[in-house]
Amino acid sequence: MDRSSISASAPLQSQTSSQPGRKPRVRGELLAWAGVLPFFLFAFAFLFLPSSSLFIGSFQNSEGGFTLQNILDLSQPKILDSYLLSIKVSAVTAIGGGIFGFLLAYAVTIGGLPRWVRSTITTFSGVASNFAGVPLAFAFIAVLGRTGFITGVLKSLFNIDVYEAGFNLYSFWGLTLTYMYFQFPLMVLVMAPALDGLKREWREACENLGATSFEYWRYVAMPILLPSLLGTMILLFGNAFGAYATAFALTGGTLNLVTIQIGAQIRGDVLHNPGLGHAMAFGMVVIMTISIAAYTWLQRQTERWLR
């Protein structure tokens, strides 16, 4: 066999030898795409289609024609007040839950508590962060309502009437206290891995250079954790901003929250205006999108240090 025939047959042999390895790789890629296909179907059905419906409905009147009146009606004082009150409740619960949740996460991760305490609090946090809606509202009514258990105990044993002292579970601060129940645990679940990511070498290096514990946290640990801390607070903000069932079951719609106003506009008998309800929901989507974008950017800033 001459040299030209050998060189001509070489690619064919190489191609033939690569076929057995290529088929399993293609089959693996097909199986991988089949695994993510349900996720894309769920995202399309429960995220893209509802968002598209909100966007289209925001620019439709009752007859289905195009209009900008729904967007212009968002400037009504009552609607602006509902946005401001929702932002206020969300901001207060995000800051309060963020600060106290961070302290709790610090105590169970690097605070020196027994290991079983961390596993107990982590398990409780996983359950409590998902305990919301109508069950949470009725739980607080049973405990801190006007005839609740703790309210009765304080009044009968210590002659303390918290409602006469100014506390009201069905007010702004009562709703804020209720939201704290699921904001604390969510903060613990998100911040615990970030605190675990602080390397021991960083603290040892600071101590070898003569830094105090306060200086370590001031100049090393806190700058690294700050993006994650702020990002988690933004996550808590979004978590409270979209809550509806807890607020409605607890206050009966007396608080002018934007989620309650949307429900009144879409299903109400007096304020029935689905187009305006869609426009208000679209405004919430815009605020949530900004919050998620800020949270993602801050998380990336933290991951650069904690890799």
Side-chain angles (χ1 to χ4, degrees):
M1 184 180 295
D2 58 356
R3 181 176 299 180
S4 60
S5 60
I6 294 175
S7 61
S9 60
L12 293 176
Q13 294 176 354
S14 175
Q15 185 176 1
T16 305
S17 62
S18 63
Q19 289 297 329
R22 187 177 179 182
K23 287 182 179 178
R25 188 176 65 183
V26 173
R27 191 181 300 114
E29 292 179 353
L30 291 176
L31 289 175
W33 280 107
V36 299
L37 183 60
F39 167 75
F40 286 116
L41 290 177
F42 271 102
F44 180 79
F46 297 103
L47 181 62
F48 179 76
L49 288 182
S51 300
S52 301
S53 177
L54 286 179
F55 180 76
I56 296 173
S58 301
F59 297 95
Q60 285 183 328
N61 54 25
S62 57
E63 289 77 22
F66 175 79
T67 181
L68 292 175
Q69 189 60 42
N70 297 326
I71 303 298
L72 297 176
D73 288 342
L74 293 178
S75 60
Q76 294 179 6
K78 187 174 183 179
I79 295 177
L80 291 178
D81 290 341
S82 67
Y83 275 104
L84 291 176
L85 182 59
S86 294
I87 291 174
K88 186 178 178 182
V89 171
S90 304
V92 171
T93 58
I95 295 173
I99 293 175
F100 293 106
F102 174 77
L103 295 177
L104 181 59
Y106 169 82
V108 300
T109 53
I110 56 180
L113 292 177
R115 191 171 184 82
W116 64 268
V117 177
R118 172 173 181 167
S119 60
T120 302
I121 292 180
T122 302
T123 303
F124 169 77
S125 298
V127 176
S129 61
N130 293 287
F131 185 64
V134 178
L136 178 63
F138 279 102
F140 267 80
I141 292 173
V143 175
L144 290 174
R146 290 186 180 276
T147 58
F149 176 73
I150 293 181
T151 306
V153 169
L154 292 175
K155 190 173 183 179
S156 59
L157 297 182
F158 303 100
N159 197 23
I160 299 175
D161 192 335
V162 293
Y163 281 84
E164 289 186 357
F167 174 77
N168 187 359
L169 182 64
Y170 316 104
S171 64
F172 171 84
W173 290 109
L175 181 64
T176 300
L177 179 64
T178 307
Y179 279 6
M180 285 289 189
Y181 184 83
F182 56 78
Q183 298 285 56
F184 272 111
L186 184 58
M187 186 71 181
V188 173
L189 292 178
V190 178
M191 284 305 301
L195 288 166
D196 286 333
L198 291 177
K199 298 179 181 178
R200 182 178 300 176
E201 293 82 358
W202 297 342
R203 191 179 188 102
E204 292 175 351
C206 291
E207 291 175 352
N208 291 334
L209 293 173
T212 62
S213 179
F214 174 78
E215 290 171 335
Y216 163 73
W217 280 97
R218 168 68 178 81
Y219 296 106
V220 179
M222 192 52 69
I224 295 174
L225 292 176
L226 190 59
S228 181
L229 183 62
L230 296 178
T232 309
M233 285 185 177
I234 293 175
L235 183 65
L236 298 183
F237 175 87
N239 193 32
F241 189 71
Y244 168 72
T246 303
F248 188 79
L250 187 68
T251 66
T254 55
L255 288 181
N256 185 26
L257 297 176
V258 63
T259 51
I260 294 177
Q261 283 298 319
I262 291 174
Q265 295 293 340
I266 293 178
R267 297 191 305 176
D269 296 330
V270 179
L271 300 176
H272 185 68
N273 187 351
L276 180 57
H278 284 115
M280 295 177 67
F282 182 67
M284 288 189 66
V285 171
V286 173
I287 295 175
M288 294 296 289
T289 302
I290 296 173
S291 301
I292 293 173
Y295 170 75
T296 304
W297 182 79
L298 289 170
Q299 283 297 103
R300 287 181 178 177
Q301 300 302 312
T302 304
E303 290 173 356
R304 291 190 307 172
W305 290 95
L306 299 181
R307 287 175 182 172

